[in-house]
């Protein structure tokens, strides 16, 4: 099957994904999120709250013979992940149906973790990651609300080193012969790393 996107750089255009009614991380946010994770060949990656699978698919393309576990509890989202895996001919993704943190317990320890949605269980998920991640492992959380940002920063004390960037994207939209700027919702990208690695930044 021919891949829907032949390039290796992150930031696959949004309209190439099958989306349905499930929210999806926009391509510019996705590119920065992936860069902050510092992906490499052979890594084990967890994508918690995978949604449409856009992060999982892009990560899978960047880790060679590594594997991404796309964790999701919503049936409609699970089907979208599988449809997008077929669309992009991506085979190194394993779909995990269930709610975090319970669905994470049987997975192999990850080198990198993305959290796009926590189902209200962010505290429990971060506690599990603090126990299971090796020094140097990295966690990237995308927060759309101030409440999620505040909660994440409260949770990510020792043994975590952390940084936060806010990404605001404005795109052009056509209105007849004119072009206007349309702002997307800003997103806070929180990167945390277990102490003992090379540090965040």
């Amino acid at each position: 099957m021919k891949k829907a996107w032949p390039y290796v750089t992150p930031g696959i255009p949004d309209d190439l994904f099958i989306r349905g009614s499930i929210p999806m991380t926009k391509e510019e946010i996705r590119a920065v999120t992936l860069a902050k994770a510092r992906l490499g060949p052979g890594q084990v990656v967890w994508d918690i709250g995978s949604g449409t699978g856009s992060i999982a698919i892009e990560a899978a393309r960047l880790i060679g013979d590594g594997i991404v576990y796309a964790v999701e509890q919503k049936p409609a989202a699970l089907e979208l992940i599988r449809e997008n895996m077929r669309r992009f001919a991506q085979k190194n993704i394993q779909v995990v149906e269930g709610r975090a943190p319970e669905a994470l317990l049987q997975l192999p320890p990850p080198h990198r973790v993305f959290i796009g949605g926590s189902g209200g269980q962010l505290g429990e998920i971060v506690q599990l990651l603090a126990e299971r991640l090796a020094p140097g492992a990295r966690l990237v959380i995308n927060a759309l609300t101030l409440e999620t940002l505040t909660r994440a920063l409260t949770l990510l004390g020792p043994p975590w080193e952390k940084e936060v960037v806010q990404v605001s994207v404005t795109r052009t939209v056509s209105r007849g012969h004119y072009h206007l700027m349309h702002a997307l919702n800003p997103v806070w990208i929180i990167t945390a790393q277990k102490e003992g690695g090379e540090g965040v930044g």
Side-chain angles (χ1 to χ4, degrees), residues 50 88 94 100 161 179:
S50 194
F88 290 93
Q94 183 170 324
E161 302 171 355
H179 292 83

Side-chain angles (χ1 to χ4, degrees), residues 34-45 58-68 92 111-112 114 138:
L34 292 160
K36 290 295 184 182
R38 296 180 184 164
L39 298 169
Q43 290 177 341
V44 174
V45 178
E58 293 235 40
R61 291 161 57 91
L62 298 170
I63 59 173
D65 59 352
I67 184 167
V68 177
N92 59 334
H111 302 96
R112 302 292 184 262
F114 298 101
R138 292 172 73 86

Side-chain angles (χ1 to χ4, degrees), residues 39-156:
L39 298 169
Q43 290 177 341
V44 174
V45 178
W46 293 357
D47 180 28
I48 301 170
S50 194
T52 62
S54 64
I55 289 282
I57 285 166
E58 293 235 40
R61 291 161 57 91
L62 298 170
I63 59 173
D65 59 352
I67 184 167
V68 177
Y69 292 89
V71 182
E72 179 57 58
Q73 62 177 324
K74 298 177 182 176
L78 289 162
E79 182 56 32
L80 283 175
I81 296 168
R82 296 185 177 102
E83 289 182 11
N84 281 313
M85 286 171 60
R86 290 190 289 268
R87 182 175 181 82
F88 290 93
Q90 207 64 50
K91 297 181 179 180
N92 59 334
I93 300 173
Q94 183 170 324
V95 179
V96 179
E97 183 174 356
R99 180 183 176 89
E102 293 81 8
L104 309 173
L105 296 177
Q106 302 304 315
L107 302 183
H111 302 96
R112 302 292 184 262
V113 178
F114 298 101
I115 300 179
S118 65
Q121 302 297 306
L122 186 59
E124 292 80 357
I125 294 169
V126 170
Q127 181 178 350
L128 175 68
L129 295 177
E131 297 169 355
R132 294 200 61 189
L133 267 62
R138 292 172 73 86
L139 163 65
V140 184
I141 303 173
N142 284 353
L144 277 69
T145 69
L146 287 168
E147 288 77 12
T148 301
L149 171 65
T150 302
R151 178 70 170 146
L153 293 179
T154 300
L155 292 168
L156 292 170

Side-chain angles (χ1 to χ4, degrees), residues 173-180:
V173 292
S174 298
R175 294 290 184 269
H177 297 293
Y178 299 95
H179 292 83
L180 303 175

